Structure formats: structure tokens, C-alpha cells
Amino acid sequence: MQSVSPDLQDPPLTFQSIKSTLSIFSLHVSHDECERLVWFVNLGKTDLANLKSQSPRETTRMFVWIAHLLFLDEKAQTKGLIVVDDMADIGFWDYMTMLPIQVGISVDRFLISVTPLKAKNVVLMHRPKWAEIGYSLLSWFLTKKMKNRVTMVEKGQENDMMMKVVGGAKFIPIDFSDVEGLISKDIIAQHY
């Protein structure tokens, strides 16, 4: 926070100040059947070309705003967090260059080091081959408890798996991935 504090102060960090940057991403936030906070990230509906032309400052401001939305959610503090990531079969190069390196490092430091929320599950959908290989190598170093908190969704099993993980369509935003969803106004959209 200290390293990016000048970027957060002028203009003050508000929803209106990050709204245009947020529109580039496809991010949704809701609660699941167990009242855990669910952060939906859809790379397939993220405007990667526009994202790469975005100023690093604006991208950092948007991630800090979203992080505080997550941190300050009472249910997330008591029940935990689930991250559902539709990787949309993204290519390795596009994934690695999606964010400027300094922004990626800042976001990682902030979300991993500072996050007071307990990640209950990380769900990965539409994984490209390189991500499957990477996870296979990484899994050698993960504890059994950490492995149990990662859910790999196989193609064609998205709706069934989302029913098991979050409780079904009534807990999923309408335009998330190709999964059946019924939420028309998620927690972020309530700020519009």
C-alpha cells in the first residue's frame, strides 16, 4: 500500500474513479450457498488489447479498490473466499504479458501478503495446456490441504462443478463464462 499510495490519493480512490478501468475486465463478486464470497474472473470476456493499453497506475488503482471490496465483506471475513477463474484457454504469452510486470508484482504482493481472507477454493476452468503442465509441476510442492483447495474443472463439466462448488445458477452472475447464471446485479454492480 505504501509503495502505491501516491497513486491512490489523487484522485481519491472511489468506484467512479475506477469504473472505466473496471469495464475492461470481466470481474464479478457474489456470495455462494454457504455465504462465502466468490470472486469470478473471466479472461475470455476481458478486453486484453484495451487492458495492455491501460496505464499501470489505473490498473493498480482498480485492483486495490476490488481488494478492499473483498476484504471489507463481512461474510468473506467469517466464511472465506472462493476464486473462480475462467482462463478461456488463454495463450501463455498473452497471460504473462496481460499486466505490466510492476503491476503484476504489486498486485501479487498485495493480494497474497496482505489478504486477511482465507481462500477456501480456487476453481480453474477452460485451462490451456501450459497451465495444466504448470499446475502439475507446482502440485509436487503443495501440501495435501492446499491441493484440496484447488478445483480443476474439466470441459463439459462446468455447470455440474459450479453446482457443487457454489450451489448453482442462483449464485453465479448471468454473463460469467458459458456457465448458467441467474445473478443480474452482483456486488460490484450495486455500486453503479
Side-chain angles (χ1 to χ4, degrees):
M1 287 293 291
Q2 287 180 329
S3 66
V4 296
S5 62
D7 292 339
L8 305 178
Q9 295 171 10
D10 188 24
L13 188 59
T14 63
F15 175 74
Q16 290 303 321
S17 74
I18 58 100
K19 190 175 171 183
S20 63
T21 303
L22 186 59
S23 69
I24 294 170
F25 291 86
S26 182
L27 304 173
H28 300 281
V29 179
S30 69
H31 292 103
D32 73 354
E33 186 173 41
C34 300
E35 298 187 334
R36 297 169 296 193
L37 191 70
V38 185
W39 185 11
F40 294 92
V41 180
N42 190 341
L43 294 180
K45 293 183 179 175
T46 295
D47 184 350
L48 294 179
N50 204 355
L51 172 58
K52 289 180 182 183
S53 68
Q54 184 73 25
S55 100
R57 176 182 187 273
E58 294 307 314
T59 304
T60 301
R61 287 172 54 84
M62 191 269 316
F63 273 111
V64 170
W65 187 89
I66 290 282
H68 281 84
L69 178 73
L70 303 177
F71 299 167
L72 298 173
D73 184 90
E74 187 175 338
K75 291 177 182 174
Q77 293 171 10
T78 57
K79 305 287 184 173
L81 172 70
I82 294 176
V83 178
V84 180
D85 188 356
D86 183 342
M87 298 185 76
D89 295 308
I90 190 170
F92 179 76
W93 182 253
D94 283 336
Y95 187 79
M96 291 303 183
T97 60
M98 185 170 39
L99 295 175
I101 187 100
Q102 199 54 43
V103 173
I105 290 169
S106 294
V107 169
D108 279 349
R109 275 191 204 143
F110 184 66
L111 292 177
I112 294 169
S113 307
V114 180
T115 305
L117 305 177
K118 187 174 204 170
K120 298 291 187 173
N121 201 343
V122 175
V123 180
L124 300 173
M125 302 168 49
H126 303 122
R127 300 173 317 278
K129 195 68 176 165
W130 65 265
E132 291 180 11
I133 293 167
Y135 180 74
S136 295
L137 295 172
L138 177 65
S139 67
W140 284 77
F141 304 101
L142 298 177
T143 65
K144 185 177 179 181
K145 184 177 180 180
M146 289 181 77
K147 285 181 191 177
N148 288 337
R149 291 185 181 178
V150 177
T151 302
M152 299 293 190
V153 180
E154 299 306 321
K155 288 184 170 93
Q157 299 298 310
E158 295 87 356
N159 282 317
D160 292 340
M161 190 56 74
M162 292 306 288
M163 177 62 124
K164 290 177 188 172
V165 173
V166 301
K170 65 183 177 180
F171 302 102
I172 302 169
I174 286 175
D175 59 350
F176 176 71
S177 186
D178 55 0
V179 177
E180 182 184 358
L182 297 174
I183 297 175
S184 60
K185 193 166 186 175
D186 74 330
I187 293 171
I188 295 173
Q190 293 172 11
H191 291 271
Y192 281 90

